Amino acid sequence: MPKTIFSIALLAALAFVPPGAAAQTNSCLECHKGLEAELQAPAANFAQDVHQQAGLTCADCHGGNPALADEDKAKDKTFKGAPKRAQIPELCASCHGDAAYMRKFNPRLRVDQLSQYQTSQHGKLLKKGDVKVAVCTDCHGVHGIQTAKFPKSPTFPWNVPQTCGRCHADADYMKAYGIPTDQAAQYKESVHAEALFEKKDMSAPVCNSCHGNHGAFPPEVKSIGSVCRQCHPSTGDLFAKSPHKKAFDDLGQSECEACHGNHRIVRPTTAMLGTDDKAVCVQCHDKGSKGYQAAAELKTLIDGFEVQIEKERATLDLAEKKGVETSDAAFKLQDVNTVLVSAKNLVHGLAVDEIRTKLAEGDQTLNDVEKAGAAALDEARFRRKGLIIATALLALFGIALFLKIRSMHKPA
Amino acid sequence: MKALGRNLFAYLDERFKLQGLFAFAEHKKVPEHEYSFWYYFGGIALFLSGIQVATGIMLLLYYTPSIDAAHESIQFIMSQVKFGWLIRSVHSWTANILIGILFVHMFSTFFLKAYRKPRELTWITGFFLLVLFMAFGFSGYLLPWNELSFFATRVGTDIAGALPLVGTWLKGVILGGTTVSQATLSRFFWFHVALLPLAAFTLIAIHVLLVQILGMSVPIKLKDKKLKEISFFPDFIYKDALGWTLILVLIGVICVFLPWEVGKKADPFAATPLGIKPEWYFTFMFTTLKLVPSHVLFVEGEVLAILAFLVGGIFWMLAPFLDRKAARGERSPAATWIGIILLLYIVVMTVLTYTVPKL
Amino acid sequence: MERRRFINFFLGGSFLATLAAFLYPVIKYVLPPKQAEALQKKVAAGKVGELAPNSAKIFKFGATPGILVNTQEGQLLAFSAVCTHLTCTVSFEASTGTLYCPCHNGRFDMTGNVVSGPPPRPIEAYAVEVVGEDIFVSRKA
């Protein structure tokens, strides 16, 4: 009788064991957690992995049976071990290229990464047997993979230059390929890097914005302009309508890159315009040519306007330092600055008359600012004059008081 | 000319009974001795308060106490209104100078033991006046509704909210709600232009009346000496006026070369600017709260510090009753030492706030 | 003149002169300034009938530019004209019925939401009120 009761009790107890408790033993993780260095890393990072959060385990990529505690038994027939580098893209694509499978997890994810990869320089070289090139895990990490929306992910915008730079900035590693290794360093000096790292503007371009990510390949000369146009469409349109377009096409010259560079794209200044050594125009236009004259004219127009703006800004700053409130005039100056930015953009169209008209729009406002600045400085002078008068009167009064006090202390 | 003056005086005297007043004024005497320099600070404080009332009333003409218009109205006063920059800068600078003068006045009367019998009520009304003027400073600081004032108010009211038992309720009453909002601005405006001026006027009247009736206190060590005396009216008044004239020159120079800034309009959703701190006269308490350890035994450090200030303030206010020696007319070095320690504490804590910002 | 009288005259005279020097700014302060009021909560952005359907105009809203749009259907809408990306001034693109920022190709729809491009936040929409002939724009509560 006691035995029966005991068995029933035991069975009942087992019935209450949460289902899947057996399935929760992941012997891979358990075992690897106790190992060291490289062998421990997969177990340590896997908890944050987006695949783990989707319910996948080690076996889904590596095979084997994680339910079995014994190492030899766990590494059964299906066990694949660590894949070789050349096998990695196809391993990842075995799920990520299967639309029906991916739909179960995130219907919005693309499933063409492998076919894109195969068109990339990395994919092409890998096919030829070069395992030094980047495969999926080099950019996405492995075992602790997170989406590009997470700031710690190597594919998060501001980490991308470092991720690509791990190989592309390593001169020794890249020696055999004969391509430059200064792109990341150059990019870091650019205005795009400033927007990304300092202004935290996540829409600023990084390596994959212009080169693509899975299908990474340097843009062809002909297509550089199209790539830049994605964010700078008005500039691109102006250029396309200008005489430069045909000239550049005939010469086989890249559009934007010829004057602005590719990685080290800095904030353009009027120093780029004109006919002196630093200007880009004289790279093609010789002295005496129509282009040379146009360059000189554009420089005079834009420089002149910019110099005036700087002059007014200095006046307003001086007035502010002297204590006079100038925010109304400063606001107008902002407007004028917008005109200048538009005019600089119009330079790409090379229509001198259009630029002249645009600048004329700002002239009226600039005049107003000049008047306001002069008035502010006058006000500063007025205040100081007023102070001198008031102080003089107070001093006189003070002297009068002093004399009065002294006279009262003297005996009558 | 002289006859006109005499006729006018006679006319007013018949109706206002001025003779008695003038007789009293002529008889009041002010002793002169090595410490009588300190007598002027009360009058300077009164004069500066007068400037605050006058410039404050002027600012009322163009200021709007609404979060959509407050900052803009200050901007307007500083840039569009003739001499608006001057009226506003005088008001802001004088507020700070006045509070500094009040501390000087308070400590000089303390060290000269002027609080002793029969001047206990003068000391107590003075104590409350200091509290009122610091409240003036706190409420006025919010009115321009700029970044600094918004966050300084938030930090300051958070501290009030840390008091045990009454904290949350008190904070709600001060703010007019749970956060710094339009309700707070309206309330602070009311405090600043109505409630506090009424209270201050009443206390100042009592305080000045007591000073007039009881005359100037003479330091204990000189009390048996035969001192030279001058009449309050007009001699002392002329000397007062000379001091006031010098202060006006100082204020004028400061306001022309260092006009008070308009600042950036407050944005409740912006992050608190780094290194935010209250106006300098609150910084000794602010820094104390920063330095206090987070827990002392089982009590939260901040709460302990706030209670210490409250209790300390009450003791300070009761100085006339606690200092038995001074009440008897005897020298009281213990009180002097307490005063010195407190003064040093305030000075050191204030200086620390600005010299070691990363506390 | 006797010394005592001189001192009294000097005292009285300098006092009156100083008083006058103080009253001058007070009087100038009280006299109404040229611009009647401080920044208005409500701004007159234009007149009824001024804008054809499917067009817009820029107006000054306090210290920043605003844009008043008359949609194809004749509805009057107003927005801040400051792009939320890098503060360039947006314009109304009639062909698409959107607010377009030429600097980096940012685009907003008629609710202020970002349609495409780099702007990180929607553009602020203002409240429009027509009083007689005038169109008034104010910040939404």
Side-chain angles (χ1 to χ4, degrees):
Chain A
M1 198 54 176
K3 265 202 195 156
T4 327
I5 297 173
F6 176 74
S7 324
I8 295 172
L10 185 62
L11 278 168
L14 280 173
F16 284 101
V17 168
Q24 283 198 2
T25 41
N26 187 332
S27 60
C28 321
L29 281 179
E30 295 306 316
C31 193
H32 275 268
K33 267 194 203 138
L35 298 175
E36 283 180 8
E38 278 159 15
L39 291 170
Q40 190 196 49
N45 298 332
F46 196 57
Q48 291 98 290
D49 195 299
V50 64
H51 297 106
Q52 195 269 2
Q53 285 156 10
L56 295 164
T57 66
C58 319
D60 292 288
C61 293
H62 295 288
N65 188 349
L68 300 174
D70 178 63
E71 189 185 334
D72 293 316
K73 288 217 186 89
K75 291 185 184 172
D76 62 18
K77 268 188 297 200
T78 62
F79 184 68
K80 290 183 227 157
K84 293 208 181 43
R85 280 181 67 82
Q87 296 168 323
I88 288 177
E90 310 226 326
L91 173 61
C92 301
S94 65
C95 291
H96 280 277
D98 183 344
Y101 183 72
M102 291 310 295
R103 259 204 308 267
K104 285 192 275 191
F105 299 97
N106 186 350
R108 278 183 315 171
L109 279 181
R110 295 178 69 136
V111 289
D112 61 349
Q113 293 93 338
L114 181 61
S115 51
Q116 284 209 330
Y117 181 74
Q118 282 161 348
T119 68
S120 73
Q121 189 71 319
H122 299 137
K124 287 199 174 131
L125 289 173
L126 185 71
K127 202 160 176 192
K128 291 207 199 106
D130 184 351
V131 290
K132 277 177 79 174
V133 295
V135 292
C136 317
T137 50
D138 292 307
C139 297
H140 290 282
V142 60
H143 303 127
I145 300 173
Q146 299 204 316
T147 69
K149 293 201 177 66
F150 281 77
K152 289 243 171 82
S153 162
T155 48
F156 186 75
W158 69 42
N159 293 325
V160 166
Q162 199 183 2
T163 304
C164 304
R166 255 200 353 253
C167 295
H168 283 275
D170 186 341
D172 286 326
Y173 195 80
M174 298 297 295
K175 221 196 271 179
Y177 301 101
I179 54 175
T181 50
D182 58 354
Q183 301 93 332
Q186 293 220 326
Y187 173 77
K188 290 222 171 83
E189 292 175 27
S190 72
V191 65
H192 294 137
E194 185 194 318
L196 180 68
F197 294 119
E198 284 169 49
K199 294 207 188 98
K200 307 279 192 265
D201 181 357
M202 291 301 129
S203 66
V206 286
C207 317
N208 59 332
S209 315
C210 299
H211 292 280
N213 33 23
H214 301 112
F217 208 100
E220 292 165 8
V221 162
K222 272 188 298 210
S223 59
I224 286 181
S226 306
V227 169
C228 304
R229 267 184 190 72
Q230 294 308 306
C231 296
H232 298 277
S234 64
T235 323
D237 284 343
L238 283 164
F239 184 87
K241 291 199 199 101
S242 77
H244 276 160
K245 170 102 176 117
K246 185 166 184 307
F248 275 53
D249 282 349
D250 289 344
L251 284 168
Q253 271 279 27
S254 63
E255 295 180 353
C256 322
E257 189 196 6
C259 299
H260 290 282
N262 43 20
H263 302 111
R264 193 176 170 275
I265 303 171
V266 291
R267 198 178 296 277
T269 64
T270 49
M272 287 174 69
L273 259 184
T275 53
D276 61 33
D277 304 328
K278 287 210 208 87
V280 298
C281 314
V282 288
Q283 280 173 18
C284 297
H285 298 289
D286 293 323
K287 190 162 180 174
S289 63
K290 253 199 340 195
Y292 188 88
Q293 280 168 346
E297 205 177 341
L298 283 171
K299 170 107 182 172
T300 318
L301 272 177
I302 303 238
D303 240 1
F305 197 77
E306 198 169 35
V307 158
Q308 258 197 297
I309 293 181
E310 283 315 308
K311 191 168 123 247
E312 297 317 324
R313 188 163 289 136
T315 308
L316 292 182
D317 281 344
L318 182 65
E320 279 269 4
K321 244 207 304 224
K322 291 191 178 215
V324 183
E325 240 279 325
T326 54
S327 53
D328 270 347
F331 174 68
K332 282 212 183 84
L333 204 58
Q334 244 324 91
D335 263 348
V336 180
N337 207 46
T338 309
V339 167
L340 180 67
V341 171
S342 297
K344 283 185 179 174
N345 195 32
L346 283 172
V347 165
H348 296 93
L350 298 175
V352 180
D353 287 329
E354 213 181 324
I355 294 170
R356 227 193 281 273
T357 320
K358 177 51 88 164
L359 290 176
E361 268 174 42
D363 273 337
Q364 178 56 44
T365 320
L366 207 55
N367 271 337
D368 291 340
V369 173
E370 198 182 340
K371 280 203 211 93
L377 287 177
D378 277 342
E379 169 71 16
R381 264 188 294 266
F382 171 74
R383 291 186 190 183
R384 278 150 178 74
K385 263 203 306 237
L387 179 67
I388 290 173
I389 295 175
T391 307
L393 285 173
L394 281 170
L396 274 175
F397 183 58
I399 291 169
L401 276 172
F402 179 71
L403 289 175
K404 181 76 181 166
I405 291 167
R406 232 179 29 160
S407 79
M408 289 184 323
H409 277 225
K410 287 201 178 98
Chain B
M1 191 63 175
K2 262 210 171 127
L4 183 66
R6 256 191 296 234
N7 286 339
L8 183 64
F9 178 75
Y11 182 89
L12 291 173
D13 180 37
E14 235 189 307
R15 288 145 186 80
F16 286 100
K17 308 279 183 260
L18 293 175
Q19 293 276 19
L21 194 68
F22 272 58
F24 172 78
E26 268 165 17
H27 276 109
K28 178 162 162 38
K29 299 269 180 257
V30 177
E32 285 207 319
H33 48 80
E34 63 187 304
Y35 300 105
S36 54
F37 167 71
W38 299 102
Y39 288 157
Y40 293 104
F41 285 89
I44 293 173
L46 185 65
F47 177 62
L48 294 178
S49 308
I51 292 180
Q52 287 306 86
V53 171
T55 52
I57 286 176
M58 305 269 278
L59 287 171
L60 261 180
L61 181 56
Y62 295 111
Y63 174 74
T64 310
S66 150
I67 58 179
D68 286 326
H71 187 256
E72 290 79 357
S73 65
I74 298 288
Q75 165 89 17
F76 180 69
I77 289 170
M78 293 299 285
S79 58
Q80 302 289 335
V81 177
K82 288 263 177 296
F83 293 103
W85 62 274
L86 181 65
I87 304 290
R88 194 250 173 156
S89 299
V90 168
H91 195 79
S92 302
W93 274 112
T94 307
N96 282 276
I97 297 172
L98 171 56
I99 296 196
I101 295 288
L102 285 176
F103 273 97
V104 171
H105 181 54
M106 177 175 79
F107 275 106
S108 60
T109 51
F110 183 86
F111 287 124
L112 293 174
K113 310 298 181 304
Y115 54 74
R116 68 189 191 275
K117 179 174 168 173
R119 293 176 177 80
E120 306 95 326
L121 292 178
T122 321
W123 173 260
I124 291 177
T125 49
F127 176 80
F128 281 112
L129 277 168
L130 179 65
V131 172
L132 282 181
F133 276 95
M134 289 175 83
F136 264 118
F138 189 67
S139 55
Y141 199 57
L142 181 68
L143 301 184
W145 198 253
N146 62 31
E147 221 180 29
L148 284 179
S149 46
F150 180 85
F151 287 105
T153 307
R154 188 190 272 182
V155 170
T157 47
D158 278 348
I159 292 172
L163 279 170
L165 298 172
V166 296
T168 322
W169 173 83
L170 186 66
K171 182 175 165 184
V173 169
I174 296 174
L175 288 180
T178 47
T179 54
V180 180
S181 61
Q182 174 62 55
T184 316
L185 187 61
S186 302
R187 193 159 283 242
F188 274 34
F189 182 69
W190 175 69
F191 285 146
H192 196 78
V193 312
L195 187 66
L196 290 171
L198 183 64
F201 181 74
T202 313
L203 284 178
I204 289 175
I206 298 172
H207 193 84
V208 171
L209 192 65
L210 284 169
V211 171
Q212 291 299 314
I213 292 171
L214 296 171
M216 296 306 210
S217 160
V218 173
I220 294 173
K221 72 175 182 189
L222 298 173
K223 92 177 157 174
D224 295 320
K225 274 208 173 127
K226 183 86 179 98
L227 296 166
K228 173 166 178 261
E229 285 185 333
I230 59 170
S231 46
F232 179 76
F233 180 85
D235 301 47
F236 190 72
I237 298 266
Y238 282 132
K239 290 188 167 187
D240 249 345
L242 188 57
W244 298 357
T245 306
L246 287 170
I247 293 221
L248 272 178
V249 173
L250 179 71
I251 293 175
V253 171
I254 290 178
C255 288
V256 168
F257 290 102
L258 295 169
W260 205 264
E261 65 153 15
V262 177
K264 225 174 79 166
K265 181 168 178 168
D267 177 7
F269 299 111
T272 310
L274 289 165
I276 189 78
K277 42 182 173 284
E279 276 288 72
W280 65 270
Y281 41 90
F282 288 114
T283 53
F284 71 96
M285 291 188 274
F286 180 72
T287 303
T288 305
L289 287 173
K290 272 188 157 190
L291 289 174
V292 131
S294 68
H295 277 91
V296 178
L297 296 176
F298 52 85
V299 188
E300 244 182 75
E302 225 183 54
V303 176
L304 197 67
I306 296 170
L307 286 176
F309 278 121
L310 275 173
V311 169
I314 292 173
F315 273 104
W316 184 250
M317 180 183 76
L318 295 175
F321 308 102
L322 297 171
D323 187 355
R324 314 246 51 127
K325 279 193 152 179
R328 286 195 295 268
E330 289 164 27
R331 298 181 66 161
S332 178
T336 308
W337 276 111
I338 290 174
I340 290 175
I341 291 169
L342 179 64
L343 180 60
L344 277 175
Y345 182 77
I346 291 175
V347 170
V348 168
M349 281 293 148
T350 308
V351 170
L352 267 180
T353 317
Y354 296 95
T355 52
V356 189
K358 289 229 174 141
L359 277 170
Chain C
M1 183 198 301
E2 178 207 324
R3 188 181 169 79
R4 208 172 143 263
R5 273 185 72 195
F6 166 75
I7 289 178
N8 284 343
F9 264 116
F10 186 26
L11 191 63
S14 57
F15 178 70
L16 285 173
T18 310
L19 191 67
F22 276 76
L23 279 176
Y24 173 74
V26 170
I27 291 170
K28 292 297 281 223
Y29 178 91
V30 173
L31 292 174
K34 253 182 290 168
Q35 181 191 315
E37 301 177 10
L39 192 263
Q40 312 82 331
K41 243 189 350 187
K42 232 186 238 200
V43 167
K47 292 243 180 279
V48 174
E50 184 186 344
L51 282 173
N54 212 21
S55 70
K57 71 176 262 206
I58 296 280
F59 63 95
K60 190 162 186 280
F61 190 76
T64 57
I67 184 166
L68 179 68
V69 179
N70 189 4
T71 65
Q72 185 76 312
E73 298 82 35
Q75 195 191 12
L76 283 169
L77 299 169
F79 303 90
S80 163
V82 180
C83 180
T84 54
H85 179 224
L86 292 176
T87 73
C88 291
T89 305
V90 304
S91 54
F92 179 69
E93 197 176 71
S95 56
T96 55
T98 57
L99 292 175
Y100 177 66
C101 183
C103 286
H104 301 98
N105 216 8
R107 203 176 281 279
F108 306 88
D109 65 17
M110 287 291 109
T111 61
N113 285 322
V114 180
V115 168
S116 67
R121 291 180 306 277
I123 208 163
E124 192 183 349
Y126 296 142
V128 176
E129 196 187 330
V130 177
V131 178
E133 281 277 302
D134 297 305
I135 304 171
F136 287 102
V137 174
S138 59
R139 271 224 159 78
K140 284 204 174 143

